[in-house]
Amino acid sequence: MTMPTDPGRTNPGPKDPGPAGADVEVDVEVVEYTDPLCPWAWGSEPVLRRLRAALDGRVRWRRVYGILFDQDEDPAPDPAAETLWYARHLEEIGRHTRAPRAFRLRRVAESSWPASLVAAAAEAQGPEVAERVLRRLRESVFVLGEPADSPELALAAARGVPGLDGERLAADAASDAVRDRVRADHAETRRPVPEVLSAGGDSPHPGAAKETPDGGLRYALPTLLVRRAGAVRAVPGRRPYEEYAEAVEALRPGLPADPTPLSAGAALARYRSLTEPERTLLTHGPWPPPGAVRIDTAGGPLWLHPEEAAVRPAVRATPPAATLTPSRAARTIRPAQ
């Protein structure tokens, strides 16, 4: 879908930490509309991580926090019933995405604002820190079952991220500058381009624009826009890798370079946290790597680098699986209930 460019921001956003890109002129912007607490965005991470690795150093990647759970929405009349319904909704989404899902969802998130403010504030501390903070925020709900929907919980979820200045993160997340940035993200998400007003395809989440409580529209999450030289390609919803790569290729022929899968140890060292779909898509060779820590969830395991597991909140260790050889031994941990 090619159209006149949408007048969004053009500042570079965070990229997945990864190998340096080729010597290519950076004249392409990828805009990712997302939310730290969105289940479809969580389930799309394997493909989007692969795309970020393929485009690392070759594009400007900008995240826009769309605020799935807005602060002006009316509270549920029966929170327990809402939580039960939403847990079943997550289970249904998980059948499509195979993403980890908490054994017990404590509640539906009250607001996406705190997590979005913390994720946006983390960008000031570099792309690697920003990626890991956002990942922790996603896992707060989909692994631990307690959404980071308050400032205290959002900051706690980020605690222990290597290289993170926690005091600075708290100050930045509470600042007018970061709040103004997320307000701008909120508004931009509610100006969808016409081409996403309807969407088709085989995806269980094709990504047509969603109606908001005030009768407006917003991008479905996730949605990617690829921009170059006044043209835009929109890729809404959860899509296969090839559709994202084709959108980039259409505007910058020869740009996508499918990343070489990493060895198990290298991938876990780079990403720190891998779901089963991610490790299948992004790694090769024997699994798990030495020292890997497995978190069991209702939607399958999550694998952590041992240094990441040492600073993770709300998990407890259990003995290694007896079937693993010493060279491949992995501890198994389970979210605290």
Side-chain angles (χ1 to χ4, degrees):
M1 306 174 187
T2 305
M3 66 206 82
T5 187
D6 181 60
R9 292 176 291 113
T10 58
N11 57 295
K15 304 191 298 291
D16 245 18
D23 185 16
V24 176
E25 181 185 0
V26 178
D27 60 354
V28 175
E29 180 185 45
V30 178
V31 185
E32 176 190 355
Y33 296 90
T34 191
D35 184 289
L37 309 182
C38 173
W40 284 111
W42 169 240
S44 299
E45 270 298 278
V47 169
L48 293 182
R49 274 186 157 182
R50 182 182 178 190
L51 184 69
R52 288 193 290 269
L55 297 177
D56 185 68
R58 298 171 169 88
V59 303
R60 296 184 299 273
W61 191 291
R62 177 167 67 89
R63 285 205 176 96
V64 176
Y65 294 105
I67 309 298
L68 178 62
F69 299 98
D70 214 341
Q71 57 192 5
D72 296 328
E73 295 177 5
D74 294 332
D78 186 342
E82 182 191 40
T83 299
L84 180 61
W85 172 85
Y86 194 63
R88 290 172 177 163
H89 179 59
L90 296 183
E91 183 177 3
E92 176 63 26
I93 292 173
R95 292 194 187 101
H96 298 291
T97 67
R98 296 175 46 240
R101 174 171 51 85
F103 285 110
R104 176 193 171 200
L105 180 67
R106 296 179 184 273
R107 64 183 179 282
V108 179
E110 293 184 6
S111 172
S112 293
W113 280 91
S116 297
L117 290 167
V118 167
E123 293 176 9
Q125 299 191 40
E128 188 169 303
V129 166
E131 286 296 325
R132 291 178 177 174
V133 167
L134 177 56
R135 180 68 172 211
R136 291 280 200 90
L137 293 166
R138 295 195 196 281
E139 292 175 2
S140 72
V141 57
F142 301 114
V143 176
L144 302 179
E146 184 166 9
D149 57 356
S150 71
E152 296 77 16
L153 288 173
L155 292 169
R159 191 173 299 131
V161 166
L164 176 71
D165 183 333
E167 291 185 3
R168 179 185 178 188
L169 182 68
D172 286 349
S175 70
D176 290 341
V178 169
R179 181 164 288 276
D180 288 346
R181 179 278 175 77
V182 177
R183 283 195 186 109
D185 284 3
H186 180 278
E188 183 180 341
T189 304
R190 284 148 184 81
R191 297 193 302 268
V193 294
E195 282 72 9
V196 302
L197 299 185
S198 62
D202 296 331
S203 172
H205 180 54
K210 305 292 185 182
E211 187 171 353
T212 57
D214 62 1
L217 293 171
R218 65 162 174 82
Y219 286 107
L221 306 176
T223 289
L224 260 60
L225 297 186
V226 183
R227 290 192 175 109
R228 182 186 183 226
V232 173
R233 288 290 176 112
V235 190
R238 181 176 182 265
R239 300 284 174 159
Y241 176 82
E242 290 73 19
E243 290 195 34
Y244 295 111
E246 287 169 6
V248 178
E249 172 76 19
L251 296 188
R252 193 68 155 84
L255 181 57
D258 203 13
T260 301
L262 299 173
S263 68
L268 202 56
R270 173 179 172 183
Y271 291 108
R272 312 284 287 193
S273 167
L274 288 169
T275 65
E276 277 291 289
E278 287 171 337
R279 75 102 170 169
T280 300
L281 196 62
L282 299 170
T283 76
H284 70 89
W287 189 273
V293 177
R294 171 177 171 147
I295 295 182
D296 285 325
T297 81
L302 178 79
W303 297 92
L304 299 181
H305 189 276
E307 293 177 2
E308 176 71 6
V311 293
R312 295 290 292 188
V315 293
R316 62 175 181 267
T318 57
T323 56
L324 295 178
T325 63
S327 63
R328 294 178 57 198
R331 286 185 297 139
T332 300
I333 60 179
R334 186 180 173 100
Q337 301 296 310

